[in-house]
Amino acid sequence: MSGDRSSTAARSTATPKAASSGAIILDGKAFAAQVRQAVALHAGEFASRFGRPPGLAVIKVGEDPASCVYVKSKRKACSEGGIASFEHDLPAATTEAQLITLVYALNHDDRVDGILVQLPLPNGTDANRVMDAIDPAKDVDGFHPVNTGLLAQKRPKLRPCTPYGVIRLAEGYGIALRGLRATVVGASNIVGRPMALELLLAGATVTVCHTGTRDLRAEVERAEVLVAAVGKAGFIPGEWIRPGAAVFDVGINRIAPGKLVGDVEYEPAARRAGWITPVPGGVGPMTIAMLLSNAVAAAFMRAGGKN
Ligand code: GUN
């Protein structure tokens, strides 16, 4: 093995899959399946106590190809997890006012515990205004300023799915984040910023890199935990990875039909890292698992029962 894992991130206590290249592959697909099993049991418990399943409304506007794929898999995951899926597929010409009217109706629909508006929205629609219209108690994406604020104040409620999924995956593999130097590359509202808040909550020392970062390579090279959320194939060269680091690749970039890659140059990174998420099969499945988990948590919280 080329990297000295014990000198950087804490050693895994889970029973990980060893990679021939050196890094332990963080099997998000398998771990997400375990989470989803637990969530389905929890959903069943909700249904027996309250006489209806937890409900999740997923709104798609237009026909963005990636959104169509993501929304389809979210809805399928709902039905497999004992969550009622309310489908709203709207034409690209839907106005912001029409969309907000639908959100308000869903806010007042008692069968609906969670509302997700798939992003991006067509040009001309202000995503912030739409997201702000969602009842924070139904904000299963965790994007509402109330939920972001609660996370920032160390009292998380509904947590953004991808960052929460990264944290759960790290926990599942026994990667102790407290005290580690963590670098997030990308500062989006969906991933980078809430990821930084999650890492901070977990006790890491956090740096966020963005387009204004002067020396990205130096920042990546000292990261004991690296989260890449840029959306550009192979944006981070493998040779930048600190030996033994835990690497979480949030990027899902299609470089050819049927060929997805992450933001990190995988093979050389896997030779240096202590742990690494593959693409596909790493962070992506965790995002969906945490969405289902949030939907069931929202249902229990709204019902005033235990979470
Ligand atoms: N578009 C890409 N990722 C996401 C996500 O996690 N939630 C929503 N609503 N839209 C997205």
Side-chain angles (χ1 to χ4, degrees):
M1 191 172 319
S2 58
D4 174 9
R5 268 182 280 232
S6 57
S7 70
T8 55
R11 250 194 156 323
S12 171
T13 53
T15 48
K17 206 158 70 176
S20 56
S21 50
I24 289 166
I25 310 297
L26 297 166
D27 188 344
K29 195 172 169 196
F31 193 75
Q34 286 178 29
V35 172
R36 282 172 61 171
Q37 252 186 340
V39 170
L41 286 176
H42 214 190
E45 211 181 290
F46 181 90
S48 1
R49 276 180 63 185
F50 299 103
R52 66 167 182 89
L56 175 61
V58 178
I59 304 173
K60 176 168 73 73
V61 186
E63 295 300 325
D64 175 75
S67 292
C68 290
V69 173
Y70 294 142
V71 164
K72 191 172 164 199
S73 58
K74 286 172 184 177
R75 288 172 177 163
K76 180 164 174 274
C78 274
S79 58
E80 289 169 0
I83 296 169
S85 171
F86 297 88
E87 305 185 0
H88 296 271
D89 289 336
L90 308 178
T94 304
T95 64
E96 189 180 297
Q98 286 169 326
L99 190 49
I100 289 175
T101 301
L102 172 61
V103 168
Y104 285 154
L106 295 169
N107 283 346
H108 291 99
D109 186 335
D110 272 340
R111 300 165 305 161
V112 173
D113 299 292
I115 303 169
L116 181 147
V117 180
Q118 185 68 24
L119 300 175
L121 290 171
N123 286 342
T125 303
D126 183 333
N128 286 336
R129 277 207 286 263
V130 175
M131 295 313 203
D132 289 358
I134 296 174
D135 178 349
K138 296 190 177 188
D139 170 36
V140 286
D141 260 327
F143 293 164
H144 192 285
V146 166
N147 285 314
T148 306
L150 289 170
L151 178 59
Q153 291 184 358
K154 299 188 284 186
R155 44 193 189 125
K157 205 164 182 182
L158 290 170
R159 303 158 73 159
C161 302
T162 299
Y164 190 23
V166 167
I167 297 294
R168 290 285 298 270
L169 194 54
E171 282 172 5
Y173 275 86
I175 300 170
L177 295 167
R178 185 163 180 79
L180 296 185
R181 198 175 278 148
T183 298
V184 181
V185 183
S188 70
N189 285 339
I190 293 183
V191 182
R193 285 165 196 260
M195 188 73 249
L197 293 174
E198 284 285 357
L199 288 163
L200 190 57
L201 189 66
T205 301
V206 184
T207 301
V208 182
C209 299
H210 44 77
T211 51
T213 297
R214 270 207 313 269
D215 188 349
L216 181 62
R217 178 178 184 147
E219 301 296 346
V220 170
E221 280 178 341
R222 59 200 187 95
E224 293 165 312
V225 177
L226 178 72
V227 180
V230 184
K232 289 186 183 157
F235 182 75
I236 296 180
E239 63 172 341
W240 291 8
I241 302 300
R242 180 184 168 117
V247 177
F248 297 88
D249 193 342
V250 175
I252 302 176
N253 308 293
R254 192 173 304 278
I255 56 165
K259 175 75 178 155
L260 297 177
V261 299
D263 291 346
V264 178
E265 205 188 3
Y266 184 79
E267 292 299 339
R271 283 194 289 275
R272 296 171 67 84
W275 294 265
I276 192 166
T277 56
V279 177
V283 175
M286 290 302 296
T287 298
I288 294 198
M290 300 330 296
L291 170 66
L292 303 182
S293 172
N294 277 351
V296 177
F300 272 108
M301 285 189 279
R302 291 184 59 253
K306 77 172 180 68
N307 183 4

